[in-house]
Amino acid sequence: MIQSILDAISLGGLYALAALGLGLVFGVMRLVNFAHGELITIAAYMLVVTVNLPLIISLLLTVLVTAAVAFLMELTIYRRLRGVNPAIMLIASFGLSTVLQRVYELIFGALPKSAVVAPFLNGAFKFAGLSITISSVITIVLTVVILLAMGYLVEKTSLGLQLRAAAADFRTARLLGVRSNRLISAAFVLSGVLATCVAFILVVENPEVNPYYGVNITILALVGIVIGGISSLRGAALGGFVVGVILSALNTLLGNGRVYAYSWLFLLVLIILLVRPGGFLSKGSELERV
Amino acid sequence: MPLLEVTDLIAGYGRVEVISKISFSIEAGKSVGIVGPNGVGKSTLLQAIAGGISPSGGSIKLDGVDIKGKKPEDIVRLGLSLVPEGRQIFSGLSVKENLALGLTGRKDKKGSVEAILKMKELFPVLSTHENHQAGMLSGGQQQQLAIARALISEPKVLLLDEPSLGLAPTVIDDVFDRLKQIIALGTAVVIVEQRANLVTTFAEETLVIRDGHVQSRLTPADAANLASLEKSYFGAGE
Ligand SMILES: Nc1ncnc2c1ncn2[C@@H]1O[C@H](COP(=O)(O)OP(=O)(O)O)[C@@H](O)[C@H]1O
Ligand SMILES: [Mg+2]
């Protein structure tokens, strides 16, 4: 029971991080970046191929490469499309996502690459007579630390203030001096950093990395964003968390019926959206912006 | 030499030309009014000067520097701020955070603290409410916040788009008193207004825009017979 609750919380936290990465970019660009999944994938590949290096070096290399890919995808593709119809940007992000999957296949092969990353996180310990996996506890601790750090960044720093202002009204933010190119680059780099965190947590549990590794979690994080309310980071993170918790709970409760977990999840999402079309944190007014 | 010199400015949206060949200039410590019927392109003109939209022709010189086609975030650093139509304060952010955003447009970060203090002195109501959500302020207070936020970058030229919009008459007087103070400190102020009478009396020169160009230029002396003028520029059948 305790293990199930821990699993639910850690999965929820993981999806919250993925949703936050998507939400940051959506906030400044009104772009649903499907290729966020490919940031998670490249980070996972990097962790696997650098597994023989000391963990800290491997993590640093991974975060550098992932942030660089995020930075470059904005610089080379999305920057040129800025101001075009949002539907076109959406299609571009689909396209980019597919292209990156092909590129990964060329570089790393179609078969999964695997390695045991951070082996000390595997295993279990006994607590009050119960067996608890180390990874679930570490995931929760890590997620809380990252969420707190992001909260600080967004709420207390000048960069965070600019991100919030740009998400509310980019035109006015620019009139006040917010440098659009730099801010959007910063949002992409941050989303790359978050993708690395997500990839690290994922790889510890599932080290079989293939070219589609990040797709699933990205789609579910998107579902979370939609139910949490797309216009606020808090809503996005909360929505991601809820999706993770629900999915984990369904997996536990459905037992052998867990193949239907997604169907139940989407049914629940539908119900939430019927009751609160703008997401749970919406105040009605937030809808008009979308 | 004028602080802001706009020559034959052309701007619009896509292929639609909204303003054609508008020229005016303004010196430090002076004010210029801009009036004209709804939809004539007053906001378009200010946006084109501030970099919100890219002009398709003409020239804009700010203190001798060509700013035409530059980005808004660069223009504000060169010393020109716009208070946009409808104030556009960040209603979900606190008053303090709105003011802090004004700091991003400063050329250098030195003097930031003093700049904020100066604004709180000029607009005491903002320091009383500094931790409140900006959306909770009254219309007049929001306008003061929008002006203060634009002034924090210490612009040489301040553009205001309909600062009286939606405000009660006594509140409007208050806002214009503040503007007088700001002009007295040496800022050049350009005011777009629906209330022709108000701005014609206030500004040294007021441009009447009609059909995308300057139809006439008024002085405070013309304010007295504005009623007949108004007929001429709002025209019959509009
Ligand atoms: N973003 C826009 N895109 C296309 N046309 C616009 C836009 N904003 C304003 N217009 C058009 O430009 C003209 C001038 O508008 P505007 O400058 O707002 O007038 P004013 O401020 O004098 O009322 C109007 O016909 C308006 O419909
Ligand atoms: Mg207007």
Side-chain angles (χ1 to χ4, degrees), chain B residues 38-39 41-44 85 161-162 192 194:
Chain B
N38 229 329
K42 304 181 296 295
S43 300
T44 304
E85 187 170 6
D161 199 344
E162 302 204 26
V192 158
Q194 280 287 312

Side-chain angles (χ1 to χ4, degrees), chain A residues 106-281:
Chain A
L106 283 174
I107 301 177
F108 302 106
L111 294 175
K113 265 203 165 344
S114 123
V116 182
V117 175
F120 55 91
L121 293 182
N122 289 319
F125 65 96
K126 287 248 181 288
F127 178 77
L130 297 156
S131 172
I132 287 170
T133 61
I134 300 173
S135 64
S136 64
V137 176
I138 297 289
T139 300
I140 293 173
V141 172
L142 208 58
T143 311
V144 168
V145 169
I146 296 163
L147 286 176
L148 285 177
M150 283 298 297
Y152 178 84
L153 185 107
V154 169
E155 297 291 333
K156 299 280 186 246
T157 68
S158 166
L159 173 63
L161 179 59
Q162 293 184 36
L163 285 169
R164 282 182 291 149
D169 179 356
F170 214 142
R171 269 175 84 90
T172 303
R174 292 185 71 183
L175 284 174
L176 293 173
V178 170
R179 296 191 200 264
S180 48
N181 287 345
R182 279 194 204 178
L183 189 68
I184 290 175
S185 293
F188 271 86
V189 166
L190 275 174
S191 85
V193 173
L194 284 167
T196 306
C197 300
V198 169
F200 176 70
I201 295 169
L202 278 177
V203 158
V204 168
E205 302 232 341
N206 169 21
E208 304 269 307
V209 183
N210 63 39
Y212 310 100
Y213 194 73
V215 172
N216 203 27
I217 187 167
T218 302
I219 291 173
L220 290 169
L222 273 173
V223 172
I225 286 192
V226 171
I227 63 174
I230 199 154
S231 46
S232 90
L233 287 178
R234 211 178 288 239
L238 187 61
F241 183 78
V242 168
V243 166
V245 168
I246 293 177
L247 201 60
S248 186
L250 285 172
N251 272 326
T252 309
L253 298 176
L254 292 175
N256 286 335
R258 73 178 48 165
V259 282
Y260 300 114
Y262 282 84
S263 319
W264 286 108
L265 175 73
F266 285 105
L267 183 68
L268 268 170
V269 167
L270 207 65
I271 293 169
I272 293 175
L273 284 181
L274 286 174
V275 182
R276 303 291 308 255
F280 358 92
L281 291 190

Side-chain angles (χ1 to χ4, degrees), chain B residues 25 45 52 66 74 92 209 223 236:
Chain B
S25 63
L45 171 62
D66 187 5
D74 295 332
I209 312 278

